[in-house]
Amino acid sequence: MPSVSRNPQHTSHQSTSVFGSIATRNANRALNDSSPDEAPQPRHTRKPTFVINTTPAASPMDELDESRVLTRDRTYAPSPASHSASPVDILDTADDDEFPYLMLSKGADSSFLPLVDMSVLSNQTAMAPVERSLQEMATTGLRTLVLGYRRLSQENIDEFLPVLKAAQCAMGDRNAVLHEAYAKIEHDFSIIGATAVEDKLQDGVPETIDFFVRAKVVVWMLTGDKRETAVTIAGTSGIIDPNETEVFHIDVTHLAQSERNESCRYQIQMASEKIRALPQNTAVLVIDGITLSTAFSGVGAELFFELGSMCRAAVCCRMTPLQKADIVRMFQTTTGHVALAIGDGANDVSMIQEAEIGIGIMGLEGAQAELAADFAIPKFRCLKRLLVVHGRHNLYRDANTVLYSCYKNLIMVTAMALYTTRCGFSGQTIYQSWLLAMYNTLYCQIQALTIGIFDKDLPDEVLETNPLLYPELAEKKCYFNPREWVITIIEAILLGAALYFTVFLTFESNDLDREHTPSLRDQGTIAFLALTAVVDLAAGLRFMRSWTYLTLGTAIIGFVLLVATTFTLSAFVNFSGSTGLYGMAERVFSSFLLYVHVLIGMAGFFVCISLLKYFVVDEVIWPTTSANKVVERTIRPQRSMVGKVKALLKEFALLDMEESSQ
């Protein structure tokens, strides 16, 4: 009889796995299993008082009846997810001379039932009730498995072990060789029964998936469940919406092998034609593992992924772990897009490792997924904040850090390049060498770190409630695109030219004061002071969107350090062999022209260029259509301004929200 569990969390804590810990007769003892799917079998075997021991010798054994224990011989490793997707363990029953070994296995009905020995009368009798129960349980959304066993003789083991050891030592394509090795012994099973567990959704799963669907993220659900179970779960999780979506099934499992390729191609073509006639982002594709293999081998991955790209989501059922990894790899290769794979079990490891971004969920399925992933999160709902908040801020910060680094260096180099025309291309530098050495290591480094670590363009609350702000990051590359590069380069070149001409035209016909005529070192120091002032001003006004005490403080700290360094160096008559720095600070900072013509002039020129960029370039010459850029340049992301942000988004038809008075 099938064993059904409708509460997997309860099951996982009240029974033990056939591959897990010790099962005792004490019903009050808390027992563990590695997966909710494995719990029902030992619960059923405990009824006739059989228990299974696979734990280390250090575990407590006080309540076990040695005559009723099945001991696993550890020389026989359990099978990985093989061609039948049926992990097996070989147990030494020690009570049968002809067949002393018992092989236990579990797997999906589509892959396990063809391996059943139908010449046995008990299997013939059990097949129909098991298939009927599987269909009923899958229709209600339960996750089903078939359990079976096979008795093995010593001769079977002696033939299998050398093949297994040779496969484990294979140097190339080891997984395929292992699957072939296990296929030699994984057949002629007898049916034990079927299990079903309720795979309850975590809190926030439908809301999270709905957010990403509205953010135009293509969601693919890859599962090993039956088609009926997968469709039910997709409906409860929000992937399939009866009111908004139309489901297209592609299925060739009922056809002969010779007819599958042609039928699969025809179904894909017909589905493509129908989807093109539907409104955008309303179609959901459902396909199983066998049909998917047919599509890849007989139809072509390009045609299949072209169909998948027209759908808002896809449900792939009866997937083996290798098929999940194949889908991720082919998707990335065929479409050129970045794939994110998220899972919580050991069967998701290969998929997670294949994806550009792998995320593991901490749960009841073990720690394999989170150990193999790039990121680990406690709940599925945390994925939204990980992507739309942390992911967005990282993209914004990285882009602005790169642009700022090029911006500040290009201003400096432009002034130096123009000075070469004045010195006859002799190689003479305009800046003092000690100050130049500390430009990128001290005066402008803190600003870049602040932009790359603390800055943000919009508040977290706005990002988590507006899915339409997310797709522009990839579609329009609103923070790192050719437009941003061109504008940044042109602005830096203009400021560098203004710096050179302002300094040298000012002091060409004027002295520092009544007593001093400006030397090259004096002019270079003045140019360096103006350079640092403009770069720090740009860091605070142009590149930083989040104005806090930290960001504003780091925006001016570079200039403060430069002034302090200049006074320190000018106090030494001979500083590391350099004698031209003595008294330089007093001469430079006592000049009225430094403040009026240079610093104020460069600051005014920077403000004029910024206004030209915002009101002429961004609005008339090269306008941006990005809602992100429109929002972030209109307001500053402070918590007190969240209401203003939402009102602005509503004005741009990005946020459908009720008035606060309602």
Side-chain angles (χ1 to χ4, degrees):
M1 293 294 293
S3 174
V4 182
S5 171
R6 295 187 178 274
N7 191 336
Q9 296 180 352
H10 176 78
T11 302
S12 64
H13 291 287
Q14 297 299 326
S15 61
T16 185
S17 167
V18 72
F19 314 118
S21 306
I22 293 178
T24 73
R25 296 185 190 181
N26 188 349
N28 297 323
R29 176 75 61 91
L31 304 174
N32 299 321
D33 58 83
S34 63
S35 171
D37 297 308
E38 298 176 357
Q41 183 173 359
R43 291 188 68 185
H44 187 72
T45 58
R46 284 182 62 185
K47 294 180 180 179
T49 69
F50 280 101
V51 291
I52 299 173
N53 171 31
T54 63
T55 51
S59 299
M61 298 284 292
D62 54 332
E63 297 187 37
L64 290 177
D65 182 357
E66 298 294 337
S67 63
R68 308 298 288 174
V69 175
L70 306 177
T71 305
R72 169 178 156 191
D73 191 331
R74 294 190 177 277
T75 59
Y76 313 132
S79 163
S82 64
H83 72 289
S84 62
S86 313
V88 301
D89 261 4
I90 299 175
L91 310 175
D92 182 6
T93 59
D95 61 355
D96 192 324
D97 295 336
E98 184 178 359
F99 298 99
Y101 299 96
L102 177 67
M103 179 172 66
L104 300 176
S105 180
K106 65 171 184 175
D109 59 311
S110 59
S111 57
F112 188 87
L113 292 181
L115 304 177
V116 174
D117 185 5
M118 295 305 297
S119 63
V120 178
L121 180 60
S122 60
N123 291 335
Q124 298 176 10
T125 306
M127 182 63 73
V130 167
E131 289 182 335
R132 184 171 59 253
S133 298
L134 287 170
Q135 183 68 25
E136 294 174 355
M137 293 185 293
T139 304
T140 60
L142 300 179
R143 189 170 64 190
T144 60
L145 283 177
V146 180
L147 309 177
Y149 73 94
R150 180 190 174 192
R151 293 194 174 274
L152 303 174
S153 64
Q154 187 64 48
E155 181 181 357
N156 297 137
I157 296 297
D158 294 339
E159 292 176 356
F160 171 65
L161 281 182
V163 178
L164 175 62
K165 292 180 179 179
Q168 291 173 336
C169 298
M171 299 301 294
D173 202 8
R174 183 175 301 173
N175 286 334
V177 177
L178 279 171
H179 293 164
E180 293 177 1
Y182 283 111
K184 297 181 181 298
I185 198 172
E186 290 182 359
H187 56 84
D188 294 336
F189 285 108
S190 294
I191 298 177
I192 295 178
T195 66
V197 296
E198 183 182 5
D199 198 3
K200 287 186 175 180
L201 293 177
Q202 297 177 357
D203 294 337
V205 171
E207 294 80 3
T208 303
I209 292 179
D210 178 68
F211 180 92
F212 284 113
V213 169
R214 289 190 289 128
K216 300 181 181 179
V217 176
V218 179
V219 180
W220 286 47
M221 171 181 163
L222 310 181
T223 177
D225 297 331
K226 289 174 66 67
R227 181 181 291 262
E228 295 82 1
T229 304
V231 171
T232 302
I233 295 176
T236 57
S237 62
I239 296 178
I240 297 177
D241 188 340
N243 299 323
E244 298 182 2
T245 60
E246 185 169 347
V247 180
F248 293 86
H249 289 266
I250 299 180
D251 186 8
V252 297
T253 55
H254 59 285
L255 299 176
Q257 186 68 39
S258 58
E259 302 176 356
R260 288 180 177 178
N261 288 346
E262 187 63 29
S263 176
C264 184
R265 179 184 298 274
Y266 174 77
Q267 292 184 46
I268 290 178
Q269 292 175 347
M270 292 299 296
S272 299
E273 294 177 2
K274 293 180 180 179
I275 292 175
R276 290 190 182 96
L278 294 175
Q280 190 178 5
N281 210 34
T282 58
V284 177
L285 180 67
V286 179
I287 190 170
D288 60 86
I290 296 176
T291 306
L292 188 67
S293 299
T294 304
F296 285 167
S297 59
V299 177
E302 294 80 4
L303 184 61
F304 173 73
F305 283 115
E306 181 183 354
L307 171 63
S309 62
M310 294 187 293
C311 303
R312 85 167 195 168
V315 178
C316 302
C317 53
R318 282 304 185 220
M319 296 281 108
T320 64
L322 290 181
Q323 282 182 316
K324 294 180 181 180
D326 289 341
I327 290 178
V328 173
R329 182 178 62 256
M330 291 184 179
F331 176 84
Q332 295 178 141
T333 303
T334 305
T335 64
H337 298 314
V338 176
L340 181 149
I342 180 170
D344 63 349
N347 56 352
D348 300 319
V349 169
S350 40
M351 172 186 68
I352 290 173
Q353 292 178 334
E354 189 65 43
E356 288 283 345
I357 304 172
I359 299 178
I361 302 177
M362 308 170 191
L364 300 176
E365 301 288 340
Q368 293 93 331
E370 57 190 273
L371 292 176
D374 302 309
F375 303 93
I377 56 179
K379 299 293 183 182
F380 183 85
R381 66 173 181 268
C382 300
L383 180 64
K384 181 171 73 170
R385 182 168 181 83
L386 178 65
L387 294 186
V388 304
V389 176
H390 298 294
R392 176 199 178 87
H393 288 337
N394 284 341
L395 173 64
Y396 162 76
R397 291 164 181 168
D398 290 346
N400 265 14
T401 301
V402 172
L403 291 174
Y404 174 72
S405 299
C406 296
Y407 181 87
K408 62 185 177 64
N409 288 313
L410 191 54
I411 296 176
M412 177 188 67
V413 171
T414 300
M416 294 176 65
L418 291 174
Y419 179 73
T420 59
T421 63
R422 187 181 185 91
C423 67
F425 300 95
S426 63
Q428 176 68 43
T429 179
I430 187 177
Y431 306 118
Q432 205 282 329
S433 58
W434 279 102
L435 300 180
L436 184 61
M438 290 184 284
Y439 180 69
N440 280 319
T441 58
L442 182 62
Y443 307 137
C444 301
Q445 182 66 25
I446 300 177
Q447 293 85 343
L449 292 175
T450 303
I451 294 172
I453 298 175
F454 300 106
D455 197 24
K456 58 174 67 176
D457 60 335
L458 290 173
D460 298 352
E461 299 91 331
V462 174
L463 299 178
E464 290 189 85
T465 54
N466 296 272
L468 292 181
L469 291 177
Y470 185 74
E472 288 188 344
L473 301 178
E475 293 175 358
K476 298 182 180 179
K477 298 180 175 60
C478 56
Y479 292 115
F480 203 73
N481 52 47
R483 179 185 181 278
E484 293 296 323
W485 271 108
V486 171
I487 293 177
T488 301
I489 291 173
I490 293 176
E491 184 178 342
I493 292 175
L494 291 176
L495 285 172
L499 172 66
Y500 168 77
F501 288 111
T502 300
V503 172
F504 285 94
L505 290 179
T506 298
F507 293 101
E508 189 174 54
S509 58
N510 297 282
D511 294 333
L512 281 175
D513 51 41
R514 296 179 180 179
E515 300 178 358
H516 299 93
T517 299
S519 65
L520 176 61
R521 293 185 183 276
D522 293 334
Q523 295 182 55
T525 302
I526 292 173
F528 198 84
L529 286 168
L531 168 66
T532 307
V534 169
V535 169
D536 289 346
L537 189 64
L541 298 180
R542 187 188 189 282
F543 290 96
M544 292 183 187
R545 271 71 170 182
S546 178
W547 287 359
T548 62
Y549 292 113
L550 176 65
T551 56
L552 292 179
T554 55
I556 63 175
I557 194 172
F559 186 77
V560 174
L561 290 174
L562 174 58
V563 173
T565 306
T566 304
F567 275 99
T568 302
L569 293 177
S570 65
F572 293 91
V573 177
N574 188 332
F575 185 82
S576 187
S578 179
T579 60
L581 299 176
Y582 181 70
M584 180 180 59
E586 290 79 359
R587 295 193 304 272
V588 170
F589 286 100
S590 63
S591 174
F592 179 74
L593 296 177
L594 169 66
Y595 304 100
V596 176
H597 285 210
V598 179
L599 295 182
I600 297 178
M602 284 302 301
F605 191 78
F606 169 77
V607 172
C608 291
I609 289 182
S610 300
L611 294 175
L612 182 69
K613 173 185 179 295
Y614 282 114
F615 294 104
V616 178
V617 177
D618 288 349
E619 299 293 341
V620 180
I621 299 177
W622 199 347
T624 176
T625 59
S626 169
N628 288 275
K629 297 294 289 183
V630 171
V631 171
E632 61 87 8
R633 76 165 182 255
T634 306
I635 52 92
R636 296 295 182 182
Q638 300 175 2
R639 291 185 180 274
S640 60
M641 304 188 77
V642 172
K644 296 181 180 179
V645 176
K646 293 183 177 181
L648 183 65
L649 290 172
K650 184 178 180 181
E651 179 182 347
F652 283 97
L654 292 179
L655 180 62
D656 185 15
M657 57 181 297
E658 296 181 356
E659 296 291 338
S660 58
S661 60
Q662 297 178 353

